[in-house]
Amino acid sequence: MEFIKNHKNISSLILIVILGIITLLYTRNLLNNTDREAIYGTRTKAIENVKISNNKEDQLGEVFSDIDEKTTVTEQGKIIEIVVTLKDNIKGKTAKEKAADIKKVLSNDERKVYDVQVFFKKDKKDDSFPIIGYLHRGKDKFSWTRDR
């Protein structure tokens, strides 16, 4: 204490430098987000116990094997995205009916966690395509884009 009284200027300078460093570090943390978590944050904690395997993705793709030219299945966070390129002679109604079989492939636990998006398209020009369907987790029916 006596040192501080005898050296007020130096003590004040040391205190100001320490407060400046603390302020600088705090400001740096605010400006530079150093959070290294995934872009989804904690929103994907629910899927840790219910992972979609490559085998399950293959099964989802096989649902459309008789009406498709090509099907890709990807999982991003809590969304399963299925892109189906249909054969030229397949109608939108047939494709929509086939999409209902997705619910048979997914278990009840998976259906409670994952949303499913289905994109139907054709290589040839067809005014009734693309058609997009969305199955919200826990729901029983797809929501479809309006028929054109």
Side-chain angles (χ1 to χ4, degrees):
M1 242 3 201
E2 192 171 315
F3 176 81
I4 295 173
K5 288 181 182 179
N6 291 338
H7 301 92
K8 289 182 184 178
N9 290 341
I10 293 175
S11 301
S12 298
L13 181 63
I14 292 172
L15 182 64
I16 290 171
V17 168
I18 291 172
L19 290 175
I21 290 172
I22 291 171
T23 304
L24 180 67
L25 291 174
Y26 180 74
T27 304
R28 183 173 154 242
N29 283 339
L30 284 177
L31 295 176
N32 296 331
N33 186 3
T34 57
D35 188 10
R36 300 289 181 215
E37 286 188 24
I39 58 172
Y40 294 105
T42 59
R43 294 177 288 169
T44 56
K45 294 281 185 204
I47 65 172
E48 288 179 358
N49 299 326
V50 188
K51 285 284 190 189
I52 298 294
S53 66
N54 288 340
N55 184 37
K56 185 69 76 162
E57 287 181 4
D58 293 341
Q59 290 175 359
L60 288 168
E62 288 172 9
V63 166
F64 303 102
S65 62
D66 55 336
I67 63 170
D68 73 338
E69 293 285 334
K70 178 183 172 189
T71 299
T72 58
V73 179
T74 56
E75 174 199 346
Q76 290 185 336
K78 293 168 69 174
I79 299 173
I80 300 170
E81 183 176 292
I82 304 170
V83 179
V84 182
T85 304
L86 297 171
K87 295 177 182 175
D88 292 334
N89 62 340
I90 302 298
K91 302 286 184 208
K93 183 178 179 183
T94 306
K96 288 179 184 180
E97 290 170 354
K98 198 69 172 161
D101 293 343
I102 290 172
K103 296 183 286 187
K104 297 175 187 173
V105 174
L106 297 174
S107 70
N108 286 335
D109 289 338
E110 292 166 340
R111 288 188 52 211
K112 288 178 185 175
V113 174
Y114 288 96
D115 294 342
V116 179
Q117 293 183 102
V118 181
F119 298 87
F120 292 118
K121 63 181 186 173
K122 289 190 176 182
D123 285 333
K124 273 189 168 179
K125 176 129 174 77
D126 189 335
D127 291 337
S128 60
F129 286 91
I131 299 174
I132 303 169
Y134 191 80
L135 179 63
H136 189 270
R137 64 185 171 276
K139 302 282 179 156
D140 288 330
K141 292 185 179 181
F142 273 90
S143 299
W144 295 100
T145 53
R146 197 169 36 143
D147 289 330
R148 299 165 211 260

